[in-house]
Amino acid sequence: METLINKLKAAALKMTLLMALAAGAAFQGCSGTEQGNSKDEAVSADAATAVYVAPGEHDELYSFLSGGFNGQVSVYGIPSGRLLKIIPVFTQFAENGYGYNEESKAMLMTSHGFVPWDDLHHPKLSRADGMADGRWLFVNGNNTPRVARVDLKTFETVEIMEIPNSAGNHCSPYPTNNNEYVLAGTRFSVPLDMKGGTQDVSLNDYKDKFRGSISFIKVDKEHGDMELDFQILVPGFDYDLANGGKGPSEDWVFFTTYNTEKSATLKELGASQNDRDYLAAINWKLAAKYAAEGKAKEMPANYYHNKMDHNSHIAKSTVKKTVRYLLPEDCPGMMYLLPAPKSPHGIDVDPTGEYMVVNGKLASSLPVFAFSKMQKAIKNKDFDGEVNGIPVLKYESVLAAEVKEPGLGPLHTEFDGKGNAYSTMFVSSEVVKWSLKDFQVKDRMPVYYSPGHLMIPGGDTREPYGKYMVVMNKITKDRFLPTGPELMHSAQLIDISGEKMKMLLDFPTVAEPHYAQGIRADLVAPNSVKFFKLDENTHPEAVKSEKDVSVTRNGRNVKINMTSIRSHFTPDNIEGVQVGDTVLFHVTNLEQDWDVPHGFAIMGANNAETLIMPGATQTLKWVPQQAGIYPFYCTDFCSALHQEMQGYVRVSPRGSKVPISFSTGEKKPVPPATASVSK
Amino acid sequence: MKTSHKVLMLLAGLSLGLLFFFPMWKIYLNAPQYPEGLELHIWVNKISGSSESVLQNFNILNHYIGMEPIHAESFAELKIMPYVVVFFMVAGVTLALLGRRRLVLYWTMLLLLAGAVGLFDFYMWLHKFGTNLNPEAPIKVPGMTYIPPLLGSKQLLNFDALSLPGWGSLGVFLAVVLAGLVYFLSRNTNKTASINRKNVLV
Ligand SMILES: [Cu+2]
């Protein structure tokens, strides 16, 4: 009965929307001021209902879009395109104090010092048995090579590891099918000094001295902790993107390369001379075996590994001093090069694991390699010379087919699990659907100016969720109301469930979305943490009851261990602080309820606020510069009495006789809502 | 009393044990901003909630209207009640062994009385908490008191409060019904029982 009612409701809703759309069209027709551009004609009338998620209802899927130059990941609901969260990874985030408060600063430490920004390109979900398992999200920092792990229980960054011997960590991070390794390849080759740094050499020596590296990061099965196991030092090309095999090709990972010309200057020309660059194929299992069998050599290194402790929420940095490496010339059978048309970008392996699609962004053809043919070519030694001891396979021997007239500037391909592939065409600005059965184009759809990557949820796994496709732009012009020279970037949601692609929705994205991953919501949502248990808070400065708060002076340092709960801080009157003191506010949020963070901000602090989740402790550092009274307050509206959630610090001149004192409320015993949880 | 009656009486005594496994009473608070609701569970020996932090959240909400925080320590009853229940259980089991019909009646009536006292005491709690408000409370609604319903539902500001007996109370109910049944069924068996005893004595 109830389902019937729901059906009726849904039908009624659709009717209303359809009528509204029809009315709108009729009105526009009459007035003769029809607006919009030709692209919008592709939008069918029921697009609105296809993406409509009623108030209070949840989306089917989570999608994680990289923000590129904002160093963040943004989380969107699919199909609604609603922004759910922004996760700061390689960037300071004043909104919640990430990278500003004392607990998280260590996350952004590198061998170059504190680097509070990076260029985040590729989110990749952790995997089990070739499928996204919804536990972690790995992302790369391109500029100062780093790989980070986001925990999908909390949607927080919990680990960041610097990658030595790398520059421009673009070809990263690719997880193998059971998360054995996360692989990260260098975009820029550099002259390695074999001590973890780069040499001071002339740029004319590019050809002889520059090398690339591919890093094998081991992932702990249970907790996800990363560890740099070893690296392979590869020829000095630029490594662009990576993707791994599945099924028969499961042991292999493929990397696109450009600048096989090894040009150091004016690369737009220098790196675009060869008709073919390479697809590098590495047998990762064999590499791991070689490394384990002692083929790996060790060299000095210097890189940071930063981890957030699960219970104290304090990040700690460790500096690693060595790294192991393999040379392909010492490891037969580990690495091969496949000729690939001109400066390829995406390399994408279809769900069966047989086909490797190479998207040569400056080429007009779209070649598809066959894994079985590659195996055969290796067996028959169908080689076309070698580079640095790495055999180059014959193009014709590995080619399954070239897709005819695919479009201009193929950039990236994903799959729907029904034998179809979808490729973005950067130059001709379209998405092209073609079949893996006959390599013929089946459908094409114009998208807005210059699409970059596309994403089909699970499109890089064994079983894609072949209902939606998200196409992300690289250069946007006219999708939304203009906002001056800087525009919101955007993504488009396309229905791929039928024969023909159907445009459903445009939604703005934060900074430039380079790539995305999507996953069914029911694999992530049930594990979402609602609040941290106060009992499990192991922060050394945590106070779990208002009775235990303190303010103590130690030389010129003042330590304030305070609590917040709806709707007050304890203490809220603090005296005895002096100009130039280093004041640390250790604020513990005593709440044990979902979505009751309390913020903490103090006037004039040369810092951000800090936003403290229920049950957690965070520390804000403050060095007052002038005597006076400084109000502090809660920044996150927490109750009807939020505006009253405030207090004062009195700052006296240096050397003043005002003693340290603190209180909350005039009647000394603790105010009404104490947090002692009785058991 | 026949053996079957004794078994029933044994069950009557033991069913009170449910009080140690389930709450006696539950108070549900629902409001639009609490879609998952808040549940306060009142046990014979403690106060808890649907999750371990419920009590804290109850108290946080209550402090706006100046209600005293609820803590298990605030109630002497919670220390006494377990003993009372254990007393009734031991007595019930003993009666089952003795098979004395009249005592079963006394036991049942005493249990009913204890239940009534308990309910009255519970009402007094609710009344005390709902009316004994801090005059300095941040939110004051003229004439408003916050006595949750003893049984059934009631609107308290933005919250819909619903109060229902928990499975623990079923233990008391079962005890009374079973013991009543024993008293009723064993009408005619008592004589034989006493004759039997005489025989044994002779
Ligand atoms: Cu607050």
Side-chain angles (χ1 to χ4, degrees):
Chain A
M1 187 63 201
E2 203 186 333
T3 50
L4 184 68
I5 289 170
N6 283 339
K7 271 183 192 161
L8 281 171
K9 271 187 193 165
L13 187 68
K14 277 186 186 169
M15 296 282 283
T16 330
L17 276 167
L18 279 173
M19 278 155 70
L21 283 166
F27 181 73
Q28 285 201 347
C30 290
S31 65
T33 56
E34 206 157 344
Q35 287 186 344
N37 56 37
S38 58
K39 286 175 192 170
D40 295 334
E41 284 164 14
V43 182
S44 60
D46 61 351
T49 52
V51 301
Y52 184 72
V53 179
E57 299 285 313
H58 290 174
D59 279 288
E60 272 173 69
L61 302 150
Y62 283 99
S63 64
F64 300 90
L65 275 67
S66 65
F69 47 75
N70 70 2
Q72 302 165 343
V73 171
S74 30
V75 187
Y76 288 85
I78 299 289
S80 72
R82 296 183 295 199
L83 177 64
L84 305 177
K85 183 166 188 172
I86 291 176
I87 308 170
V89 183
F90 300 115
T91 190
Q92 282 178 302
F93 197 47
E95 182 176 316
N96 63 12
Y98 176 83
Y100 287 98
N101 61 43
E102 297 307 302
E103 283 75 14
S104 57
K105 278 180 181 169
M107 291 301 280
L108 301 173
M109 283 306 296
T110 74
S111 61
H112 306 273
F114 184 72
V115 182
W117 172 87
D118 216 311
D119 187 12
L120 190 159
H121 279 229
H122 311 120
K124 281 281 183 178
L125 289 159
S126 60
R127 294 187 185 183
D129 198 20
M131 299 295 293
D133 62 3
R135 299 174 78 191
W136 309 298
L137 186 76
F138 298 97
V139 295
N140 66 322
N142 185 55
N143 179 57
T144 304
R146 288 177 270 187
V147 169
R149 180 169 58 95
V150 172
D151 190 335
L152 294 184
K153 281 198 180 107
T154 54
F155 286 61
E156 286 174 357
T157 307
V158 293
E159 191 174 5
I160 294 181
M161 187 167 71
E162 205 183 348
I163 310 290
N165 298 328
S166 181
N169 174 43
H170 188 269
C171 189
S172 164
Y174 170 76
T176 56
N177 288 319
N178 284 295
N179 264 3
E180 293 94 342
Y181 284 106
V182 165
L183 303 185
T186 192
R187 170 170 162 201
F188 309 123
S189 284
V190 280
L192 305 179
D193 67 0
M194 302 305 271
K195 288 177 202 143
T198 55
Q199 280 173 287
D200 170 19
V201 299
S202 161
L203 290 161
N204 294 327
D205 292 341
Y206 190 107
K207 280 197 168 69
D208 307 321
K209 304 219 163 129
F210 284 48
R211 283 208 94 143
S213 69
I214 287 164
S215 301
F216 281 61
I217 301 164
K218 215 175 208 160
V219 177
D220 180 82
K221 281 242 168 305
E222 206 173 319
H223 302 106
D225 299 55
M226 303 187 289
E227 183 202 325
L228 181 53
D229 193 13
F230 63 95
Q231 297 187 313
I232 301 178
L233 301 188
V234 287
F237 312 148
D238 286 17
Y239 294 79
D240 201 20
L241 279 172
N243 217 314
K246 28 187 100 69
S249 54
E250 176 159 81
D251 297 353
W252 292 78
V253 182
F254 307 95
F255 303 85
T256 47
T257 68
Y258 62 100
N259 195 27
T260 52
E261 298 86 347
K262 296 197 181 174
S263 164
T265 182
L266 196 59
K267 288 206 181 187
E268 68 170 15
L269 293 180
S272 307
Q273 294 306 308
N274 291 351
D275 265 351
R276 287 191 179 147
D277 290 292
Y278 296 116
L279 180 69
I282 292 183
N283 186 325
W284 66 264
K285 260 196 188 152
L286 190 57
K289 198 166 155 243
Y290 277 130
E293 282 171 357
K295 273 264 161 67
K297 302 180 184 105
E298 202 168 274
M299 69 164 120
N302 184 34
Y303 65 96
Y304 271 67
H305 187 183
N306 313 315
K307 273 197 218 183
M308 182 66 78
D309 180 80
H310 184 67
N311 291 326
S312 66
H313 306 279
I314 297 174
K316 281 208 179 72
S317 297
T318 325
V319 183
K320 300 285 173 67
K321 288 293 180 188
T322 59
V323 64
R324 303 193 304 149
Y325 66 98
L326 291 174
L327 295 172
E329 48 268 45
D330 300 342
C331 303
M334 179 178 78
M335 183 168 180
Y336 296 91
L337 297 173
L338 287 65
K342 221 165 187 175
S343 304
H345 196 60
I347 155 66
D348 302 292
V349 183
D350 86 306
T352 68
E354 167 66 2
Y355 294 118
M356 293 102 80
V357 181
V358 183
N359 304 262
K361 66 178 188 283
L362 303 181
S364 52
S365 70
L366 184 58
V368 182
F369 295 149
F371 180 73
S372 53
K373 285 192 158 187
M374 179 185 121
Q375 291 301 92
K376 211 163 152 197
I378 292 171
K379 216 188 211 168
N380 300 340
K381 297 202 165 34
D382 275 349
F383 299 150
D384 200 358
E386 56 164 57
V387 178
N388 292 33
I390 308 162
V392 179
L393 297 168
K394 280 200 184 114
Y395 181 73
E396 291 73 22
S397 305
V398 292
L399 187 72
E402 280 182 356
V403 180
K404 294 279 164 315
E405 289 170 21
L408 290 176
L411 209 75
H412 179 214
T413 301
E414 286 206 348
F415 309 90
D416 66 2
K418 291 177 282 192
N420 299 306
Y422 299 77
S423 302
T424 41
M425 299 294 153
F426 181 81
V427 179
S428 54
S429 190
E430 58 188 336
V431 178
V432 174
K433 173 182 176 177
W434 52 277
S435 165
L436 286 156
K437 290 177 194 93
D438 55 13
F439 305 99
Q440 298 296 315
V441 170
K442 301 292 168 192
D443 188 21
R444 43 204 334 145
M445 168 171 271
V447 290
Y448 48 89
Y449 197 75
S450 301
H453 285 267
L454 51 78
M455 180 273 280
I456 291 168
D460 59 346
T461 68
R462 281 193 293 109
E463 289 171 35
Y465 188 88
K467 198 165 160 189
Y468 304 111
M469 172 166 68
V470 175
V471 182
M472 290 154 274
N473 86 246
K474 290 229 161 279
I475 304 164
T476 193
K477 299 224 160 158
D478 57 355
R479 303 312 297 182
F480 311 112
L481 280 175
T483 54
E486 190 186 356
L487 299 171
M488 263 326 232
H489 281 258
S490 72
Q492 281 184 320
L493 184 74
I494 294 167
D495 180 344
I496 55 163
S497 59
E499 284 290 300
K500 295 274 162 198
M501 293 181 270
K502 276 194 273 181
M503 182 65 71
L504 297 179
L505 180 71
D506 264 329
F507 59 95
T509 67
V510 184
E512 186 208 318
H514 284 260
Y515 182 55
Q517 290 258 274
I519 187 168
R520 259 175 35 224
D522 61 6
L523 287 170
V524 176
N527 306 324
S528 200
V529 167
K530 293 186 170 171
F531 56 86
F532 299 112
K533 282 194 178 158
L534 200 54
D535 288 347
E536 291 168 7
N537 178 336
T538 57
H539 193 295
E541 304 298 340
V543 271
K544 300 187 185 180
S545 160
E546 291 184 341
K547 296 175 194 101
D548 301 327
V549 298
S550 63
V551 180
T552 47
R553 172 181 288 284
N554 181 7
R556 294 199 60 179
N557 299 312
V558 176
K559 190 161 78 92
I560 301 173
N561 295 63
M562 58 192 292
T563 62
S564 59
I565 198 163
R566 280 164 285 178
S567 326
H568 60 265
F569 292 102
T570 309
D572 65 5
N573 279 198
I574 299 163
E575 299 185 35
V577 173
Q578 298 179 7
V579 170
D581 281 343
T582 297
V583 182
L584 292 177
F585 295 97
H586 302 292
V587 188
T588 302
N589 180 350
L590 297 175
E591 304 282 353
Q592 295 287 273
D593 200 358
W594 197 10
D595 193 33
V596 196
H598 291 294
F600 179 86
I602 185 157
M603 187 173 80
N606 303 130
N607 205 335
E609 68 152 353
T610 188
L611 189 67
I612 311 127
M613 295 303 127
T617 305
Q618 300 267 273
T619 304
L620 197 75
K621 187 167 137 189
W622 177 54
V623 182
Q625 304 295 328
Q626 292 162 44
I629 292 290
Y630 290 80
F632 58 81
Y633 67 102
C634 171
T635 51
D636 189 346
F637 208 105
C638 54
S639 73
L641 294 163
H642 162 76
Q643 286 300 87
E644 287 76 7
M645 191 164 174
Q646 52 183 262
Y648 293 104
V649 179
R650 174 182 172 192
V651 176
S652 305
R654 182 96 232 115
S656 147
K657 294 273 174 289
V658 178
I660 290 276
S661 69
F662 58 98
S663 61
T664 303
E666 276 166 296
K667 282 172 263 163
K668 284 296 165 191
V670 205
T674 55
S676 54
V677 183
S678 32
K679 292 191 186 125
Chain B
M1 279 162 81
K2 283 189 195 159
T3 314
S4 59
H5 302 152
K6 288 184 175 180
V7 169
L8 272 185
M9 187 56 210
L10 192 70
L11 284 178
L14 292 180
S15 60
L16 286 174
L18 284 178
L19 284 166
F20 291 103
F21 294 103
F22 300 101
M24 294 189 290
W25 222 267
K26 289 186 181 182
I27 298 178
Y28 302 85
L29 287 185
N30 275 299
Q33 74 272 39
Y34 271 95
E36 67 275 24
L38 283 172
E39 282 180 37
L40 189 65
H41 296 174
I42 297 140
W43 298 64
V44 72
N45 56 351
K46 63 177 176 185
I47 293 181
S48 71
S50 42
S51 77
E52 63 181 300
S53 45
V54 160
L55 203 55
Q56 176 174 334
N57 293 327
F58 249 78
N59 288 338
I60 286 173
L61 293 175
N62 289 346
H63 103 273
Y64 296 126
I65 49 165
M67 195 186 275
E68 214 183 299
I70 301 170
H71 292 301
E73 300 89 79
S74 330
F75 306 108
E77 292 91 334
L78 297 178
K79 295 204 180 69
I80 303 163
M81 274 195 298
Y83 293 106
V84 175
V85 176
V86 169
F87 163 77
F88 271 105
M89 286 178 73
V90 171
V93 171
T94 315
L95 289 189
L97 296 176
L98 289 179
R100 299 278 291 277
R101 184 166 178 263
R102 185 153 297 270
L103 287 183
V104 169
L105 180 67
Y106 294 156
W107 186 84
T108 315
M109 286 169 64
L110 207 59
L111 183 60
L112 273 173
L113 185 68
V117 169
L119 268 182
F120 180 70
D121 185 55
F122 182 44
Y123 176 76
M124 293 307 286
W125 278 15
L126 297 177
H127 193 271
K128 181 180 142 219
F129 273 93
T131 54
N132 177 26
L133 304 174
N134 183 348
E136 292 180 357
I139 297 174
K140 273 182 273 192
V141 182
M144 184 76 186
T145 58
Y146 302 93
I147 309 166
L150 184 64
L151 192 67
S153 76
K154 184 175 171 187
Q155 193 72 26
L156 295 171
L157 295 187
N158 54 331
F159 279 92
D160 180 30
L162 173 69
S163 180
L164 293 172
W167 289 110
S169 295
L170 185 72
V172 183
F173 175 79
L174 272 178
V176 170
V177 169
L178 289 174
L181 209 61
V182 169
Y183 182 71
F184 176 75
L185 291 176
S186 57
R187 269 172 310 180
N188 305 318
T189 57
N190 231 18
K191 283 172 196 158
T192 42
S194 47
I195 288 165
N196 286 343
R197 192 181 298 109
K198 270 177 197 159
N199 293 344
V200 173
L201 287 172
V202 171

